[in-house]
Amino acid sequence: MAESPAPPPLPDTQALAAAVDRLAGVPVLVVGDVMLDHYLSGDAERISPEAPVPVVQVTGERHMLGGAGNVVRNIAALGGRPELVSVVGADGPGRAIQDLLGREGVSCHLVAEKNRKTTIKTRVIVRNQQMVRVDREDTAPLTGQSLAALESILREVAAGHGIVVVSDYGKGVVSESVMRVLRSLKEERGGGLTVLVDPKVVNTGLYTGVDLLTPNAKEAGEMAGIPAKGREGVIRAGLAIFKRLRCAQLCVTLGPEGMAVFTRPGSVLHVPTVARQVFDVTGAGDTVMAVLALALGAGMALPEASILANYAAGYVVGQVGTATVGPRELREALTTLRQPDVERWLEIQ
């Protein structure tokens, strides 16, 4: 593979900080699996006499939007105009999600399915460390009236958007029929609809022809059938994904190693992480997706959008729980966190 050691021309952090204002007001449609994040916090000072496990004395409890709802929260926090299309159960947690979206001022279209269980993730936090997570969920695919209602809402709502985020957590909302609706809308509008997907490996075959995929390294390796380890492994996995899905662009998040940005199959940049410390990675991928969607919607190119998203992720992983970043925090991160040494990993004309 031909390589070029020359770094790409990219804006400095001052220019990126000025670009943060451009994110405000950008409309983004989010379709996917919304969840209720439930946090129990407290202290653990003794071991249970019933089993060798710590006893947590709960001192705090809170509920937050999770999954696709966290993408929406991040978009709203940065001044964007999110709109959510999703499915909940006709139950208490489903109503709690509706209430939280109302408090956030988010326009939402939720299909409430009678026999469906709303996804709840309960995390127990002790001294800023997550000790255990308990999931309650229903991952059955949508069928019948629920699926028809979702497709109808999506087709109607998407007409007013140029950017769509598919937030797939594998809980049954994202399906072949939903992706077919988005593909048909792209065709009808002559490509005037940009579709970004935060993927789930089990649904890899659904993402053919999308504009941007954002898997993590593990997901990228599984989607490609090639271990995405190290520079060469990530590049080969990315090229295999392009060949399999014919997506336009790809951004592979690498955890503490930052992210690999494929602007096309023959052009790959590496953006190192800027995080100083990591308390909790919960929701960091949602933050990355939210910033990418807003930045692309504001007219930024993928390399610049990725660097901005990298700074946003560097901020949220330093917080405990599912955090968001606002314009002030993002500007502060751009001015206080170190500037990433962006490297060109691959360049083939």
Side-chain angles (χ1 to χ4, degrees):
M1 292 184 288
E3 300 176 19
S4 171
L10 294 169
D12 58 24
T13 53
Q14 188 173 4
L16 287 171
V20 172
D21 289 338
R22 293 165 55 191
L23 307 184
V26 174
V28 178
L29 176 61
V30 179
V31 56
D33 303 293
V34 67
M35 311 175 190
L36 188 63
D37 281 345
H38 177 213
Y39 291 91
L40 296 173
S41 58
D43 206 349
E45 298 181 343
R46 63 191 179 93
I47 300 299
S48 171
E50 303 167 357
V53 295
V55 175
V56 178
Q57 184 67 39
V58 175
T59 57
E61 182 177 14
R62 60 191 173 120
H63 293 85
M64 300 176 69
L65 293 168
N70 191 43
V71 179
V72 164
R73 287 181 65 233
N74 275 272
I75 292 170
L78 284 164
R81 292 193 291 112
E83 194 163 4
L84 175 67
V85 174
S86 190
V87 177
V88 295
D91 53 18
R95 290 187 289 275
I97 286 175
Q98 291 178 318
D99 290 343
L100 287 169
L101 286 165
R103 290 181 212 168
E104 296 277 353
V106 173
S107 176
C108 64
H109 311 268
L110 301 179
V111 176
E113 193 171 51
K114 288 184 179 180
N115 297 319
R116 192 174 197 85
K117 185 186 299 180
T118 300
T119 299
I120 310 174
K121 293 185 177 181
T122 298
R123 298 174 176 91
V124 180
I125 310 292
V126 175
R127 298 182 184 179
N128 292 336
Q129 295 293 322
Q130 184 178 150
M131 293 187 63
V132 67
R133 193 181 88 184
V134 179
D135 291 2
R136 289 164 283 182
E137 61 187 18
D138 184 346
T139 61
L142 296 180
T143 57
Q145 291 183 347
S146 295
L147 181 58
L150 183 71
E151 291 176 359
S152 176
I153 292 170
L154 179 58
R155 181 171 286 279
E156 179 181 351
V157 174
H161 289 272
I163 298 285
V164 176
V165 168
V166 177
S167 182
D168 191 357
Y169 277 79
K171 309 303 179 188
V173 173
V174 180
S175 65
E176 174 57 41
S177 56
V178 166
M179 297 305 296
R180 189 184 306 120
V181 169
L182 293 176
R183 281 193 292 270
S184 68
L185 288 171
K186 280 177 66 70
E187 292 174 2
E188 291 169 11
R189 292 166 58 173
L193 185 69
T194 300
V195 179
L196 289 64
V197 178
D198 188 358
K200 198 70 174 177
V201 174
V202 68
N203 287 334
T204 297
L206 303 182
Y207 311 134
T208 300
V210 302
D211 296 284
L212 177 65
L213 278 170
T214 64
N216 60 35
K218 181 176 182 295
E219 291 166 338
E222 292 175 357
M223 292 169 74
I226 299 171
K229 295 182 179 180
R231 172 174 170 167
E232 293 300 319
V234 171
I235 291 174
R236 292 184 186 282
L239 294 178
I241 291 173
F242 275 111
K243 183 176 181 180
R244 178 178 180 182
L245 299 178
R246 302 188 302 282
C247 54
Q249 295 181 313
L250 177 67
C251 183
V252 180
T253 55
L254 307 174
E257 302 302 319
M259 59 181 71
V261 181
F262 294 70
T263 56
R264 55 183 174 80
S267 182
V268 187
L269 303 175
H270 176 241
V271 182
T273 185
V274 297
R276 288 175 177 166
Q277 55 187 348
V278 177
F279 280 123
D280 194 340
V281 298
T282 303
D286 297 330
T287 300
V288 167
M289 176 56 88
V291 176
L292 288 174
L294 287 172
L296 293 176
M300 297 176 68
L302 182 59
E304 290 80 5
S306 299
I307 294 174
L308 202 59
N310 194 44
Y311 274 99
Y315 171 83
V316 300
V317 297
Q319 316 302 310
V320 178
T322 308
T324 59
V325 57
R328 181 180 62 81
E329 292 87 0
L330 185 50
R331 290 192 199 93
E332 182 179 337
L334 283 160
T335 55
T336 59
L337 297 178
R338 67 181 179 82
Q339 187 170 350
D341 185 14
V342 178
E343 179 185 4
R344 193 183 295 280
W345 271 5
L346 178 69
E347 185 64 35
I348 302 175
Q349 297 300 326

